[in-house]
Amino acid sequence: MEEAEKLNFIFRNEIIGIYHIGSNSVPGLKAKPIIDMMPVVKDINLVDTFNLEM
């Protein structure tokens, strides 16, 4: 998934995992054209330091 690769590049070693959630993660289920992702990071307090890169 291209979006996950971008997040991995930006957050580097801070990323623990990226999960695809939401309706379009279920095969065959009608879904909106938006990908819902949940990145999990080591320290939530550091996330704002990546705002410029995001």
Side-chain angles (χ1 to χ4, degrees):
M1 175 183 305
E2 183 178 329
E3 294 81 3
E5 290 174 11
K6 290 178 185 177
L7 289 174
N8 274 313
F9 179 77
I10 291 170
F11 288 97
R12 297 174 276 295
N13 294 329
E14 200 58 34
I15 285 279
I16 293 173
I18 300 173
Y19 300 94
H20 183 194
I21 59 174
S23 58
N24 64 2
S25 67
V26 180
L29 185 64
K30 187 175 179 179
K32 60 189 181 297
I34 297 172
I35 298 173
D36 298 308
M37 296 187 303
M38 181 178 60
V40 178
V41 294
K42 293 177 186 175
D43 186 351
I44 192 70
N45 296 305
L46 297 178
V47 169
D48 285 342
T49 65
F50 297 95
N51 284 348
L52 185 59
E53 294 175 87
M54 288 294 291

